[in-house]
Amino acid sequence: MNIEQYLNELIKREGGYVNNPADRGGATKFGITEAVARASGFKGHMRDLPLDVAKGIYRKLYWISPRFDQVNTMSAAVAEELLDTGVNCGTGFAKPLLQRALNLLNNQGKGGWPDLVIDGIYGPATLNALKTFMAKRGKEGEKVLIRVLNIMQGQRYIEICERNPTQEQFFYGWINNRIA
């Protein structure tokens, strides 16, 4: 798959214009928050955010900047999962997840790569660890890795709702649409 396909799926999940007062992201369109749209130079009403502008923001901030495009060269499924998590939970939350998961899956360094520094930076060490993991574990390993990423994302939703019960109205949808 490619980024265009991912974005089409993502936008289908995110929907059009929404302005739920309980949503901490505020007004959104195609899943892009008003704050992100403004920081990216969009000045109009969120209802009017063009699809191509939203896709451009996603490509730049949620795909290329966090280096999920690099992950995509080794595992399309993992890259798409990271993109989705980055959009829904923020890239600051999403980026370290791969490093945490790979550390949990390396059997204390016996898996072929040392523990990674959990810094959210996808440099040579992180990308080589993923490459080694994929070569060693293949498609089954890829499924396990995605499950681990989903578990961590699901735990995040649980913590959000336990901290702030007003967010429970979103919990069912988060789990239904985001956790496989």
Side-chain angles (χ1 to χ4, degrees):
M1 292 240 289
N2 62 46
I3 183 62
E4 198 59 36
Q5 291 169 287
Y6 300 152
L7 292 178
N8 290 337
E9 289 297 312
L10 178 67
I11 288 165
K12 208 184 312 177
R13 273 192 304 279
E14 290 290 344
Y17 176 75
V18 179
N19 192 5
N20 182 329
D23 187 340
R24 298 171 310 154
T28 65
K29 186 162 182 194
F30 308 124
I32 300 288
T33 65
E34 188 166 7
V36 168
R38 298 283 176 253
S40 300
F42 180 72
K43 294 183 182 1
H45 192 286
M46 283 305 291
R47 250 188 228 99
D48 303 324
L49 181 74
L51 181 59
D52 63 319
V53 171
K55 285 183 175 184
I57 291 169
Y58 278 134
R59 267 189 213 89
K60 182 179 176 198
L61 300 181
Y62 297 88
W63 188 245
I64 294 165
S65 177
R67 301 195 76 197
F68 298 157
D69 60 323
Q70 301 294 304
V71 172
N72 195 51
T73 65
M74 288 171 253
S75 170
V78 171
E80 186 177 16
E81 178 60 33
L82 291 168
L83 170 70
D84 187 67
T85 303
V87 167
N88 198 248
C89 299
T91 57
F93 172 77
K95 289 187 298 184
L97 295 185
L98 178 61
Q99 294 166 329
R100 290 174 61 202
L102 288 168
N103 284 353
L104 291 166
L105 293 165
N106 78 350
N107 191 17
Q108 297 182 303
K110 297 180 203 117
W113 65 94
D115 272 352
L116 301 164
V117 175
I118 311 289
D119 59 7
I121 298 168
Y122 289 21
T126 300
L127 296 171
N128 286 331
L130 177 60
K131 187 177 185 178
T132 302
F133 175 79
M134 292 300 297
K136 184 174 183 170
R137 295 291 189 170
K139 281 292 172 194
E140 179 183 279
E142 183 179 56
K143 283 183 195 158
V144 169
L145 177 54
I146 290 168
R147 279 188 200 140
V148 174
L149 295 171
N150 271 288
I151 289 165
M152 291 188 282
Q153 184 179 4
Q155 180 62 32
R156 166 81 168 192
Y157 296 138
I158 291 167
E159 290 166 3
I160 287 169
C161 292
E162 286 178 342
R163 252 193 333 270
N164 184 351
T166 66
Q167 299 302 293
E168 286 179 10
Q169 65 183 290
F170 305 113
F171 188 74
Y172 183 91
W174 287 335
I175 299 303
N176 187 41
N177 295 316
R178 292 302 207 288
I179 306 298

